[in-house]
């Protein structure tokens, strides 16, 4: 799933690199754009040194009045005076920034500019699911959100642990304060202390200026410590002190600073086993797990597949990618898959198939091979169906019966028969080079009847009469 927060337009490579790095440090997911349309993104946009301001104006206009775009305009860019002028028509918030970037000023500009996006993010990152397991998760989130208790989110990779943290933050009294996320497993142990607590100028080689850490950036808000199980033991000791005493010092400094930050940690590891193995401190575990919240794996809530797919289709539509439908047989096949990547993997699959089969229906045989696995596909293959078409009626009925096995959970017969009909029509069209008249003859039906069916199933594009 594309979780881009900012689209970065900047023709100057040096400026572009500095903006990308600054946004990433602030916890965003920027993406560099080179003369690509941005219509319908509804995302944050950075406008830097633009060589073709008119083209950019047209792109911004396409966002529409309901979009909540964020535009950070360099104060020396040609577009700055136009967007910042009184009465400028633009659906979003515009904030001027200055180069070379200064961390404090840039962070404040981003914070001010992103205020209109808070409601949008909460809508996009909502939990979806009608299963009992997800109902329990949502209930626990509502219960713990109003308090400042530390939360430990447990679950496999791809189950949505960061989304839980953001939801808790958005439902708490700290929602108007920063939400800062850091992946403890992605930062080298020797740099993690500086990332969390900041450093003073000259604290180590390369520390050319003082810098705030994530605890200072999250002041008054929420700090999300992802993959806490990968944190080194020495760093665990320092984190424990902050949790106990609510004070810390920057690297290379001796000034003690107090902090008011809610801690939400997450891991896919078994921390209790890590304690036994001597890789995680028991006292830190109990500090973090005041309120443990475990997310179910996707294979444990397969009844949520249809609503999750619908949610991902809506997100894809909002990005202009399109959507995709799954036949009854395809859904039945997906229920037999193990989903090691959980919801993130499902999201990626839906996007992939939406690109391959835009606005079409995917059958079980059209799923990627890994998702079909060894599960018996109840939809007869196109080749098998063509063979059936040339056999006597009784033999054809027997052949279809042999090819289709009734799943234990049953099927929707109407949808199933429609899937068979679509398969026959597609194979007939393939066999006749897409000529509708010839395909109708092969299917023993009137051409007008086939045309109606093509229109019904959305198969009419690019066909010859």
């Amino acid at each position: 799933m594309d979780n881009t927060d900012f689209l970065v337009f900047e023709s100057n490579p040096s400026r572009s690199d500095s903006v990308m790095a600054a946004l990433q440090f602030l916890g965003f997911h920027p993406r560099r754009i080179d003369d690509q349309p941005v219509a319908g993104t509804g995302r944050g946009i950075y406008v830097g040194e633009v060589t073709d301001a008119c083209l950019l104006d047209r792109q911004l206009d396409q966002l529409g009045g309901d979009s909540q775009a964020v535009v950070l305009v360099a104060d020396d860019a040609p577009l700055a005076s136009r967007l910042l002028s009184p009465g400028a028509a633009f659906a979003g918030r515009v904030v001027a920034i200055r180069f070379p970037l200064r961390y404090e000023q840039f962070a404040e500009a981003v914070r001010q500019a992103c205020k209109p996006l808070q409601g949008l993010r909460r809508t996009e990152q909502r939990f979806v699911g009608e299963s009992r397991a997800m109902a329990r998760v949502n209930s626990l989130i509502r219960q713990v959100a109003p308090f400042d208790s530390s939360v430990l989110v447990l679950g496999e990779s791809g189950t949505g642990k960061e989304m839980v943290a953001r939801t808790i933050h958005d439902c708490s009294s700290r929602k108007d304060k920063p939400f800062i996320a850091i992946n403890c497993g992605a930062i080298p142990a020797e740099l993690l202390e500086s990332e969390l607590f900041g450093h003073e100028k000259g604290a180590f080689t390369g520390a050319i200026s003082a810098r705030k850490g994530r605890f200072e950036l999250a002041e008054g808000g929420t700090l999300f410590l992802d993959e806490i199980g990968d944190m080194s033991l020495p760093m665990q000791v320092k984190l424990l002190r902050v949790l106990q005493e609510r004070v810390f010092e920057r690297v290379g400094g001796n000034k003690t600073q107090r902090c008011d930050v809610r801690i939400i940690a997450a891991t896919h590891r078994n921390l209790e086993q890590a304690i036994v193995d001597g890789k995680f401190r028991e006292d830190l575990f109990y500090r973090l797990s005041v309120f443990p919240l475990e997310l179910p794996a996707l294979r444990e809530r397969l009844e949520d597949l249809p609503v999750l797919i619908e949610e991902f289709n809506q997100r894809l539509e909002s990005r202009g990618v399109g959507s995709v439908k799954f036949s009854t047989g395809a859904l039945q096949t997906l229920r037999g898959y193990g989903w090691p990547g959980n919801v993130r993997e499902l999201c990626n699959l839906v996007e992939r198939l939406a690109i391959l089969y835009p606005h079409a229906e995917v059958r079980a045989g059209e799923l990627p091979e890994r998702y079909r696995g060894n599960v018996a596909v109840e939809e007869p293959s196109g080749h098998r169906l063509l063979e059936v078409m040339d056999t006597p009626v009784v033999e054809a009925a027997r052949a279809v019966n042999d090819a289709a096995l009734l799943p234990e959970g049953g099927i929707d017969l109407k949808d199933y028969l429609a899937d068979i009909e679509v398969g026959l029509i597609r194979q007939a069209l393939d066999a006749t080079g897409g000529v509708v008249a010839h395909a109708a003859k092969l299917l023993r039906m009137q051409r007008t009847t086939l045309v109606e069916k093509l229109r019904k199933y959305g198969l009419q594009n690019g066909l010859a009469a």
Side-chain angles (χ1 to χ4, degrees):
M1 183 176 63
D2 185 0
N3 59 350
T4 301
D5 295 302
F6 274 84
L7 303 177
V8 178
F9 292 81
E10 178 52 73
S11 58
N12 184 307
S14 176
R15 284 186 169 190
S16 179
D17 290 341
S18 64
V19 170
M20 291 286 291
L23 288 171
Q24 288 170 349
F25 179 77
L26 289 172
F28 292 94
H29 305 279
R31 180 158 57 95
R32 207 186 311 259
I33 300 296
D34 297 316
D35 297 327
Q36 297 182 17
V38 298
T41 59
R43 302 283 188 172
I45 300 171
Y46 165 82
V47 183
E49 183 184 76
V50 182
T51 56
D52 188 351
C54 292
L55 172 63
L56 185 62
D57 278 345
R58 288 198 299 272
Q59 291 172 330
L60 292 177
D61 287 341
Q62 292 175 23
L63 285 171
D66 294 330
S67 299
Q68 298 188 40
V70 172
V71 181
L72 304 178
V73 188
D75 58 1
D76 60 343
L79 202 60
S81 59
R82 295 176 58 187
L83 286 180
L84 291 170
S85 62
F90 178 72
R93 175 169 292 190
V94 183
V95 178
I97 58 175
R98 181 171 299 178
F99 284 90
L101 291 181
R102 292 290 182 266
Y103 178 77
E104 299 286 346
Q105 292 88 336
F106 184 75
E108 178 61 18
V110 171
R111 188 181 71 81
Q112 291 295 330
C114 285
K115 282 183 178 180
L117 291 180
Q118 290 176 354
L120 178 63
R121 287 184 181 169
R122 280 196 291 272
T123 300
E124 288 185 344
Q125 297 188 346
R126 63 191 180 94
F127 274 109
V128 175
E130 300 173 352
S131 62
R132 181 177 300 179
M134 286 311 298
R136 174 169 172 75
V137 168
N138 284 315
S139 175
L140 291 174
I141 289 174
R142 289 194 300 270
Q143 287 179 286
V144 75
F147 305 97
D148 280 341
S149 304
S150 297
V151 178
L152 179 62
V153 186
L154 305 170
E156 298 178 7
S157 295
T159 51
K161 295 187 288 294
E162 182 171 349
M163 191 178 294
V164 168
R166 287 186 179 274
T167 304
I168 292 174
H169 173 77
D170 289 339
C171 295
S172 73
S173 59
R174 297 175 179 263
K175 62 184 177 182
D176 294 325
K177 298 295 183 179
F179 175 91
I180 303 296
I182 182 171
N183 189 321
C184 301
I187 300 175
E190 61 273 16
L191 298 179
L192 186 56
E193 182 178 4
S194 172
E195 290 291 334
L196 286 175
F197 307 130
H199 62 254
E200 298 292 352
K201 181 178 180 180
F204 49 83
T205 303
I208 58 176
S209 63
R211 195 183 76 175
K212 290 183 177 181
R214 304 300 173 96
F215 271 93
E216 288 183 75
L217 294 174
E219 180 63 24
T222 302
L223 178 61
F224 176 55
L225 303 173
D226 199 7
E227 299 301 347
I228 191 72
D230 295 336
M231 182 177 286
S232 67
L233 285 170
M235 194 63 231
Q236 291 178 30
V237 176
K238 296 175 181 179
L239 176 61
L240 179 62
R241 181 200 171 213
V242 180
L243 296 181
Q244 289 176 332
E245 304 177 19
R246 297 292 172 176
V247 296
F248 66 93
E249 293 87 30
R250 289 183 181 177
V251 177
N254 53 19
K255 178 183 177 182
T256 299
Q257 301 188 52
R258 300 200 64 82
C259 65
D260 173 24
V261 174
R262 181 180 192 170
I263 299 295
I264 301 178
T267 183
H268 71 281
R269 301 189 183 279
N270 186 332
L271 292 186
E272 294 181 343
Q273 183 59 48
I275 293 171
V276 175
D277 297 338
K279 297 180 179 179
F280 202 84
R281 293 182 62 93
E282 186 174 15
D283 46 4
L284 178 59
F285 172 75
Y286 289 118
R287 279 285 178 180
L288 292 172
S289 61
V290 174
F291 193 93
L293 199 160
E294 188 163 1
L295 291 181
L298 180 56
R299 62 181 175 274
E300 298 171 356
R301 56 182 188 109
L302 293 174
E303 60 267 43
D304 287 335
L305 277 176
V307 291
L308 285 168
I309 291 171
E310 178 62 26
E311 171 69 15
F312 297 145
N313 273 326
Q314 291 180 13
R315 297 183 189 182
L316 291 173
E317 290 278 8
S318 69
R319 290 168 44 203
V321 176
S323 62
V324 66
K325 294 181 180 179
F326 290 82
S327 70
T328 303
L331 280 174
Q332 188 69 23
T333 301
L334 292 178
R335 289 188 178 97
Y337 179 64
W339 296 107
N342 292 292
V343 178
R344 183 187 297 127
E345 184 180 1
L346 174 62
C347 181
N348 292 338
L349 174 66
V350 173
E351 181 169 356
R352 173 183 175 183
L353 294 176
I355 294 171
L356 291 173
Y357 308 102
H359 304 291
E361 184 177 73
V362 173
R363 297 178 300 145
E366 294 167 330
L367 293 171
E369 186 176 354
R370 67 176 296 179
Y371 297 96
R372 298 196 301 268
N374 297 322
V375 178
V377 178
E378 67 270 17
E379 296 173 302
S381 66
H383 179 72
R384 176 65 169 158
L385 290 170
L386 275 180
E387 292 179 352
V388 170
M389 290 164 60
D390 291 330
T391 62
V393 175
V394 175
E395 293 182 16
R398 185 181 299 113
V400 172
N401 187 60
D402 292 340
L405 299 176
L406 181 66
E408 292 183 4
I411 61 172
D412 186 315
L413 183 59
K414 182 178 178 180
D415 288 347
Y416 177 65
L417 293 175
D419 292 340
I420 294 178
E421 188 173 43
V422 169
L424 286 166
I425 292 173
R426 283 179 172 172
Q427 291 300 321
L429 290 169
D430 289 343
T432 58
V435 179
V436 176
H438 295 170
K441 184 177 181 180
L442 184 59
L443 292 168
R444 314 289 196 273
M445 65 173 61
Q446 295 294 322
R447 178 184 172 280
T448 53
T449 303
L450 179 55
V451 169
E452 285 300 317
K453 291 183 180 294
L454 292 175
R455 185 178 296 110
K456 173 182 177 182
Y457 295 121
L459 303 173
Q460 71 272 29
N461 292 337
L463 299 177

